[in-house]
Amino acid sequence: MMTEQIICAGFGGQGVLLAGQILAYAGLEEGKNVSWLPSYGPEMRGGTANCNVVVSDEEVASPVVVEADCAIVMNRPSMEMFEQAVKPGGLLIMNSDLIEVEPSRDDIRVLRIPANSLAEQAGSVKAANMVVLGVYNACANIVDNKTIIKCLEKLMGEKKKHLIPLNEKAIDMGSGEAKKQQS
Amino acid sequence: MAKVLMKGNEAIAEAAIKAGCKAFFGYPITPQNQIPEYMSRRMPQVDGSFIQAESEVAAINMVYGAAGAGARVMTSSSSPGISLKQEGISYIACAELPCVIVNIVRSGPGLGGILPSQGDYFQATKGGGHGDYHLIVLAPSSVQEAADLVQDGFDLADKYRMPVMVLGDGMIGQMMEPVEFKRNEPPKLPEKEWAANGWSDKSKPRSVVNSLYIEAEICSEVNRKLKEKYDEVIKNEVRVQEYMTDDADYVIAAFGTIARIAKNAANKAREQGIKVGVIRPVTLWPFPYDTFAKAAGKVKGMLDVEMNQGQMLEDVQLAVQGRVPVNFFGTQGGVIPTPAQILDEIIKMKEGK
């Protein structure tokens, strides 16, 4: 039985809510049970935004993630807020381009991903969210990357179709980086 | 039809449209804004009416009018906005008109905050407005159930000619989950002979929508009829979900989204060898007193968990009649209880604290 509980956090504008949403869409597309719960408090204005995603073979019990299998943190305030939410043995994916401090935990796996730099190489810094999504899926392997692309195509529609290759590249680069660091 | 991923607020709006809702009147307030937003886009496509009223008071009175004319009608708001609607809700209840009112509860009192809360339990189940009346109150715990209960809500409202409230919280409104709409086509609506929708052919007695009864005898008769109706609802419409209560030594009472966190806590407790179940009222009014009363004969204790200071707690205590201890754990102000906190409370209870 598989249940993955994920927190995805960063500045408003880094696309953390979208990254979580795409993961939920992809899970649903592959017949899994999913939930996506965004933070919608006043902290969204200029501060951090985050979402809780659950992808499971079983009915999703609570949509609130308190013991995360993985936390993806895109900036320093998010790391400070969510590092402790990762369960022992869990995974912390941190955007090392924007977080210059080290995590305080030694009982979790940590991947330091230069997400902004990789996204720039893929074509736009805005795709940093897709880089970390690629990293996450390479580690957790909960959906096929092709499903993620399919969901992106659906979400972006005709108008933004030209951005798909860039996003796909960003996901691939994240995936590659994760495999490189884990080998 | 395949499942689609939708926000709770959007699923509520679409479910209403698919149930034949033709009129929506509302006024913006977080965290339910996606309902009117969605309605403003969809209503014109289904030949319906959407009006952003000048205030909550205006919106509920538009509901009163549309319901009186026989339309399937809905309004939505969040706590402070629902307070403003109470006068109109009382009038609609007295005039025996069907409508659906959605309250996506935020934390209070006062303007409070926009984060989830269950602080409006008393307001929803014990009246809210003035006079002797009830609403059928439905409390979904998932986006799917929110959609289902909105659709059922319209049927219940028509069946009993009374307002139905769907009581969610900010979490239900904002989260996305897969939904499959049970009903995709508006049903053939029951004939509403009482509706005040024209009298040009004089084919039926004149319909009058009213809630003013000056004479004691008449007003008393109106109240007697309402009581008779409420007794019918209590007899027929109680809904409750039990989770692992068969062999439970302890039961958690929780409604809405919190019941899901309670289920997590029950699972954790069972990993530690403590047999815990969950009773989740789906209808908050009529309340499943019997289910709790029966459980009280079997368990060692109950823990009521709510995102308020202990409101449903009073109904659980009424049902249990002191036969077993009923402890309480609550969070307020938008704070969501965690399974670990609930488990701690269960352990405390087991240790007799």
Side-chain angles (χ1 to χ4, degrees):
Chain A
M1 188 202 96
M2 180 276 294
T3 296
E4 273 283 303
Q5 304 192 67
I6 305 120
I7 295 170
C8 191
F11 281 127
Q14 280 183 308
V16 291
L17 297 185
L18 181 66
Q21 224 174 65
I22 288 165
L23 190 61
Y25 272 108
L28 175 65
E29 187 73 25
E30 294 194 1
K32 294 175 168 65
N33 296 295
V34 299
S35 68
W36 175 86
L37 177 68
S39 62
Y40 66 93
E43 78 271 18
M44 284 170 81
R45 301 206 176 101
T48 61
N50 73 81
C51 62
N52 293 178
V53 180
V54 182
V55 181
S56 178
D57 292 328
E58 293 201 331
E59 187 188 337
V60 176
S62 168
V64 185
V65 176
V66 280
E67 292 172 310
D69 296 287
C70 174
I72 300 170
V73 291
M74 295 297 279
N75 62 0
R76 185 168 167 176
S78 299
M79 185 165 94
E80 283 160 1
M81 200 182 287
F82 294 112
E83 186 192 350
Q84 298 307 323
V86 180
K87 68 181 191 191
L91 177 65
L92 179 74
I93 298 172
M94 53 185 272
N95 181 4
S96 57
D97 280 335
L98 292 185
I99 307 171
E100 66 285 0
V101 292
E102 279 297 301
S104 59
R105 302 270 301 268
D106 56 8
D107 59 340
I108 55 174
R109 286 185 297 147
V110 179
L111 288 179
R112 297 163 185 82
I113 306 294
N116 287 31
S117 319
L118 290 173
E120 265 172 41
Q121 284 174 42
S124 167
V125 70
K126 286 182 191 166
N129 59 344
M130 293 300 115
V131 171
V132 288
L133 186 60
V135 172
Y136 170 71
N137 200 38
C139 300
N141 201 23
I142 51 170
V143 287
D144 197 319
N145 272 354
K146 283 192 193 114
T147 313
I148 294 179
I149 302 297
K150 200 172 136 190
C151 293
L152 262 176
E153 282 169 354
K154 249 196 233 172
L155 276 180
M156 288 186 152
E158 277 302 310
K159 240 172 139 181
K160 293 183 179 166
K161 205 176 163 188
H162 62 283
L163 295 171
I164 297 291
L166 189 161
N167 281 281
E168 196 168 357
K169 196 171 171 197
I171 292 169
D172 284 345
M173 291 181 84
S175 207
E177 182 68 19
K179 281 168 190 157
K180 196 174 86 190
Q181 289 198 20
Q182 284 184 315
S183 61
Chain B
M1 204 187 133
K3 285 188 176 177
V4 287
L5 197 62
M6 283 181 107
K7 267 200 173 189
N9 283 335
E10 294 175 346
I12 284 169
E14 184 59 33
I17 289 168
K18 288 189 190 314
C21 176
K22 284 287 185 192
F24 180 93
F25 310 107
Y27 188 82
I29 182 169
T30 306
Q32 62 83 52
N33 279 327
Q34 292 84 5
I35 299 176
E37 182 191 6
Y38 193 92
M39 285 297 196
S40 69
R41 186 171 70 246
R42 284 281 283 133
M43 270 299 176
Q45 295 171 357
V46 295
D47 210 14
S49 296
F50 167 88
I51 295 177
Q52 178 172 318
E54 66 269 37
S55 72
E56 285 87 350
V57 177
I60 194 66
N61 282 291
M62 290 175 189
V63 171
Y64 187 10
R72 277 209 156 171
V73 53
M74 182 165 101
T75 186
S76 66
S77 191
S78 178
S79 311
I82 295 289
S83 292
L84 289 166
K85 288 182 176 164
Q86 290 303 333
E87 180 196 47
I89 294 172
S90 171
Y91 282 35
I92 296 169
C94 184
E96 295 196 83
L97 298 176
C99 66
V100 172
I101 301 152
V102 178
N103 183 2
I104 300 297
V105 182
R106 57 189 253 173
S107 53
L111 267 179
I114 61 174
L115 293 173
S117 162
Q118 297 182 320
D120 297 357
Y121 179 93
F122 281 154
Q123 187 196 52
T125 60
K126 311 292 177 194
H130 59 279
D132 251 348
Y133 75 94
H134 283 285
L135 311 175
I136 294 175
V137 183
L138 308 171
S141 72
S142 67
V143 173
Q144 177 68 59
E145 197 182 25
D148 294 346
L149 290 181
V150 163
Q151 298 196 332
D152 291 353
F154 278 106
D155 292 340
L156 288 168
D158 276 347
K159 183 175 173 189
Y160 294 100
R161 286 180 59 185
M162 64 188 283
V164 170
M165 180 171 280
V166 175
L167 193 76
D169 61 46
M171 231 190 307
I172 279 276
Q174 294 298 322
M175 91 177 147
M176 286 178 100
E177 283 190 313
V179 192
E180 189 173 8
F181 293 100
K182 298 254 154 78
R183 186 192 286 158
N184 279 294
E185 293 299 324
K188 198 178 168 330
L189 299 187
E191 193 61 39
K192 293 174 176 172
E193 286 164 4
W194 46 264
N197 53 5
W199 202 50
S200 53
D201 63 358
K202 315 253 187 312
S203 63
K204 61 175 184 181
R206 194 161 205 166
S207 299
V208 177
V209 172
N210 177 39
S211 80
L212 176 67
Y213 302 98
I214 294 289
E215 286 170 55
E217 272 173 28
I218 298 173
C219 195
S220 165
E221 177 59 16
V222 168
N223 272 278
R224 192 197 58 76
K225 262 181 65 195
L226 286 177
K227 173 74 165 68
E228 209 173 88
K229 172 163 80 180
Y230 297 145
D231 286 344
E232 263 315 280
V233 176
I234 290 169
K235 205 169 80 191
N236 300 330
E237 306 299 344
V238 172
R239 296 191 197 184
V240 59
Q241 193 192 55
E242 294 185 62
Y243 179 72
M244 298 195 300
T245 49
D246 280 350
D247 64 341
D249 289 326
Y250 298 91
V251 154
I252 305 171
F255 71 95
T257 49
I258 301 311
R260 294 172 67 168
I261 295 165
K263 279 186 191 175
N264 268 18
N267 292 337
K268 276 180 182 286
R270 281 183 183 255
E271 283 167 18
Q272 296 191 15
I274 312 169
K275 289 180 187 165
V276 175
V278 178
I279 299 178
R280 174 174 76 90
V282 177
T283 50
L284 301 182
W285 195 92
F287 189 79
Y289 290 106
D290 288 349
T291 310
F292 283 101
K294 268 183 210 144
K298 295 193 297 188
V299 302
K300 294 173 186 157
M302 290 194 192
L303 173 68
D304 179 83
V305 182
E306 299 176 67
M307 281 195 291
N308 58 39
Q309 297 178 4
Q311 300 192 10
M312 183 175 81
L313 173 66
E314 293 188 5
D315 281 320
V316 174
Q317 285 169 332
L318 264 179
V320 167
Q321 304 256 341
R323 281 183 290 165
V324 290
V326 180
N327 284 13
F328 174 72
F329 177 67
T331 58
Q332 294 104 45
V335 177
I336 300 166
T338 66
Q341 285 174 320
I342 299 173
L343 180 60
D344 281 349
E345 294 296 320
I346 291 279
I347 291 168
K348 264 194 226 164
M349 188 167 206
K350 188 168 176 263
E351 288 167 353
K353 285 176 198 163

